[in-house]
Amino acid sequence: MPETESNRRPIAARGSVWAQRVAAALARSSVTPNQISVASVVFAAIGAGLLLGGLTALRLIACAICIQLRLICNLLDGMVALDGGKASAVGKIYNEFPDRIADSLLIVAAGYACDQPWLGWLGALLAALTAYIRVFGGSIGFAQDFRGPFAKQQRMAVLTIACVAAAAETFWHGEPVRC
């Protein structure tokens, strides 16, 4: 059963020329949407490792880039699957589960980087529960609702901005920032 537009996260970038061109190229290639979803976890793991390895300006900027690459993968996996005609029987699982892993890796690492691991774990738990409730609602027939405070794009935007701001602070003051 094809996914309807009402059950897709509204992402403005989906209509951009660059995203459509990249998705079309990926759809013509041997790359699967599920592989793109897994790549998002790889980028998140690299970003988390950068956060845990020390808060230098270079590491923080690299982490911000990894967060954005993770989001681009999240954008492209659905476009390649649905718009590119490469949807699979397990595609919906690959669309959701890697997102939970990627979110958790980055949020938990941010908590540890700030010497507040409990806050990172709490943030990861709340992010996963929010997604669980949305998916559960969809499983019993409700339309997917992607609105709300601190949805995935907002969480990742805040984390990206925090990394860039901390990198600037570190660069200007010459010492690692402590959260």
Side-chain angles (χ1 to χ4, degrees):
M1 163 168 123
E3 191 162 356
T4 64
E5 281 299 313
S6 67
N7 281 333
R8 286 181 84 182
R9 182 180 309 278
I11 302 173
R14 192 179 290 132
S16 68
V17 173
W18 73 265
Q20 291 177 357
R21 286 184 181 163
V22 172
L26 287 169
R28 289 188 303 271
S29 77
S30 62
V31 174
T32 69
N34 298 347
Q35 290 169 330
I36 299 168
S37 296
V38 171
S40 74
V41 175
V42 172
F43 286 122
I46 293 168
L50 289 163
L51 284 176
L52 295 173
L55 298 180
T56 66
L58 183 59
R59 285 177 167 276
L60 289 161
I61 293 297
C63 180
I65 291 168
C66 286
I67 293 167
Q68 293 307 301
L69 290 171
R70 170 251 196 266
L71 289 174
I72 289 170
C73 288
N74 185 249
L75 168 71
L76 294 173
D77 65 354
M79 291 178 73
V80 172
L82 300 176
D83 303 338
K86 287 185 150 185
S88 70
V90 295
K92 288 184 180 187
I93 294 170
Y94 272 91
N95 188 50
E96 291 295 329
F97 192 67
D99 282 348
R100 305 299 71 83
I101 295 170
D103 268 358
S104 295
L105 285 170
L106 289 164
I107 295 168
V108 169
Y112 277 96
C114 292
D115 290 329
Q116 299 295 323
W118 70 270
L119 192 56
W121 285 103
L122 177 62
L125 175 64
L126 293 174
L129 285 174
T130 299
Y132 173 78
I133 291 167
R134 176 187 50 80
V135 170
F136 182 71
S139 74
I140 58 173
F142 292 105
Q144 299 286 307
D145 187 352
F146 297 96
R147 297 170 299 164
F150 236 45
K152 177 179 25 188
Q153 282 78 6
Q154 289 87 10
R155 289 190 301 267
M156 294 300 113
V158 167
L159 192 50
T160 300
I161 291 166
C163 285
V164 171
E169 177 75 12
T170 299
F171 179 76
W172 284 319
H173 290 283
E175 61 184 53
V177 162
R178 294 311 313 154
C179 300

